[in-house]
């Protein structure tokens, strides 16, 4: 859509919430991605990201990693640890209760697990993860800001 919008002359800022990662969009839109702004779930430039990036490239080859992939990886590690701690794969209530008590568990990508959400939802059931706003400038992804749910 970004590429098509630029091709028909739309030159305003285009901002994305969700959808393909910025590198995927840049691959399709090319130079027409210039000025594109997006919310990203993950920064591949952090020190904690590097082991994941290397392991991913070793298994799947160097290429674009969708920014949602680390979140799925992190969630899977949390679930596996919860299954181990709960001692069951069948008792979903026990597994859920175990996950709720895993504050501080470090799955390796985002740092120690921290729950939030009480102020908005009256219960801490939201994993507190940073998120990023980036822009394509001169063919590169530039971090505009890092935000948190806090």
């Amino acid at each position: 859509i970004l590429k098509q919008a630029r091709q028909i002359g739309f030159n305003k800022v285009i901002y994305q919430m969700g959808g393909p990662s910025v590198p995927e969009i840049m691959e399709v839109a090319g130079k027409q991605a210039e000025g594109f702004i997006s919310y990203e779930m993950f920064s591949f430039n952090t020190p904690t990201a590097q082991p994941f990036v290397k392991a991913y490239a070793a298994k799947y080859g160097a290429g674009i990693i969708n920014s949602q992939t680390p979140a799925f990886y992190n969630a899977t590690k949390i679930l596996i640890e919860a299954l181990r701690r709960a001692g069951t794969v069948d008792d979903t209530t026990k597994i859920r209760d175990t996950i709720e008590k895993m504050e501080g568990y470090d799955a390796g990508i985002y740092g120690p697990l921290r729950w939030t959400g009480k102020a908005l939802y009256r219960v801490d059931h939201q994993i507190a993860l940073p998120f990023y706003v980036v822009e394509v400038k001169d063919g590169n992804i530039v971090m505009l800001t890092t935000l948190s749910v806090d």
Side-chain angles (χ1 to χ4, degrees):
I1 292 172
L2 172 66
K3 183 177 182 178
Q4 291 172 338
R6 298 291 189 235
Q7 287 172 336
I8 62 168
F10 186 82
N11 61 3
K12 306 285 187 210
V13 172
I14 295 179
Y15 182 84
Q16 168 184 261
M17 289 287 294
S21 67
V22 176
E24 291 170 299
I25 288 179
M26 291 171 66
E27 184 176 69
V28 172
K31 292 182 182 197
Q32 292 158 328
E34 192 66 24
F36 175 69
I37 297 174
S38 182
Y39 155 91
E40 283 285 58
M41 295 179 56
F42 191 71
S43 172
F44 291 98
N45 298 322
T46 63
T48 57
Q50 296 316 300
F52 175 80
V53 170
K54 287 177 185 171
Y56 187 94
K59 182 157 182 127
Y60 302 107
I64 294 172
I65 305 173
N66 186 292
S67 63
Q68 295 175 10
T69 302
F72 298 141
Y73 174 80
N74 200 65
T76 301
K77 287 187 75 173
I78 291 168
L79 177 59
I80 290 169
E81 179 62 15
L83 295 170
R84 187 192 68 74
R85 290 183 186 189
T88 181
V89 295
D90 298 315
D91 186 343
T92 56
T93 300
K94 189 173 182 181
I95 296 164
R96 180 206 58 213
D97 293 347
T98 299
I99 291 173
E100 289 177 348
K101 295 174 188 166
M102 288 178 60
E103 179 105 8
Y105 171 70
D106 192 343
I109 295 226
Y110 293 101
L113 177 61
R114 190 170 63 81
W115 295 107
T116 188
K118 193 161 194 128
L120 290 174
Y121 309 115
R122 292 176 284 178
V123 64
D124 283 334
H125 279 181
Q126 170 119 13
I127 296 177
L129 299 175
F131 58 99
Y132 310 89
V133 179
V134 300
E135 181 177 4
V136 177
K137 288 185 179 178
D138 299 319
N140 297 300
I141 299 171
V142 177
M143 186 82 61
L144 296 179
T145 191
T146 301
L147 302 163
S148 76
V149 295
D150 298 325

